[in-house]
């Protein structure tokens, strides 16, 4: 829901939630929305997102700073790239590789860390291809750089709350099974 609202708020074509893997070595695609490709996976859809997880560390166990999602995860900084094909940093390379695989062209990106109530980064919110009222792809407004991290953090808190509820339910189930024996 937060991804859909973030996309609606910024009028963008696509978006992704990445979540920190249990072993804390990868960012896993948790929810993906893409209007152009008509792909809506993860979340409550029951469909697992198809892209493989993004490694957080290289072969030398150093932080992977070459992908925009992992860069945002490690630095805690939001990134707004107006056009990945004009951008000369390595952060745009992942989007260009994704285009070669899927045919989907990413132009503008707005990527923000998802911080929970302890201020720990547990994932990344990525919004792709802002559009004007005529459907033309444009850069994301610079003002969204302040708002989107807040939405990402709301998602992180909601995810942490769901996990806590799930753990409490498991504990209660264990207690009930123990007392019945």
């Amino acid at each position: 829901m937060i991804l859909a609202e973030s996309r609606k708020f910024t009028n963008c074509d696509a978006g992704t939630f990445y979540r920190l893997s249990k072993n804390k070595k990868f960012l896993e695609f948790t929810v993906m929305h893409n209007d152009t490709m008509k792909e809506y996976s993860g979340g409550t859809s029951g469909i697992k997102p198809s892209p493989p997880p993004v490694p957080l560390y290289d072969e030398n166990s150093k932080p992977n700073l070459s992908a925009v999602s992992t860069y945002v995860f490690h630095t805690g900084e939001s990134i707004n790239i107006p056009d990945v094909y004009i951008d000369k940093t390595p952060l745009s390379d992942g989007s260009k590789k994704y285009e070669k695989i899927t045919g989907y062209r990413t132009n503008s990106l707005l990527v923000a860390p998802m911080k929970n109530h302890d201020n720990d980064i547990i994932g990344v919110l990525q919004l792709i291809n802002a559009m004007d009222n005529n459907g033309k792809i444009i850069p994301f407004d610079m003002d969204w750089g302040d708002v989107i991290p807040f939405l990402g953090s709301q998602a992180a808190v909601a995810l942490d709350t769901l996990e806590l509820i799930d753990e409490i339910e498991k504990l209660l189930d264990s207690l009930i099974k123990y007392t019945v024996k």
Side-chain angles (χ1 to χ4, degrees), residues 23 27 53 66 86 94 112 114 116 130 133 138 144 157 160 167 178:
N23 66 7
L27 285 178
S66 63
I86 294 173
M114 293 169 49
N116 67 12
N133 292 333
I138 58 172
W144 294 132
V157 170
D160 272 0
E167 288 174 22
Y178 178 77

Side-chain angles (χ1 to χ4, degrees), residues 24-100:
K24 300 183 191 266
K25 292 182 180 181
F26 297 94
L27 285 178
E28 297 175 334
F29 287 84
T30 305
V31 182
M32 291 181 66
H33 292 176
N34 188 310
D35 291 345
T36 297
M37 296 179 69
K38 297 185 179 13
E39 181 174 347
Y40 307 96
S41 57
T44 58
S45 73
I47 302 167
K48 184 174 173 36
S50 58
V54 182
L56 283 169
Y57 301 94
D58 65 17
E59 59 278 351
N60 299 318
S61 299
K62 294 193 183 229
N64 173 9
L65 300 176
S66 63
V68 69
S69 59
T70 57
Y71 180 89
V72 167
F73 179 85
H74 286 298
T75 65
E77 300 172 16
S78 295
I79 298 288
N80 186 339
I81 300 176
D83 189 328
V84 299
Y85 287 88
I86 294 173
D87 184 67
K88 299 298 180 205
T89 69
L91 298 178
S92 298
D93 291 346
S95 298
K96 294 171 191 169
K97 288 177 189 173
Y98 186 73
E99 179 181 357
K100 288 178 183 173

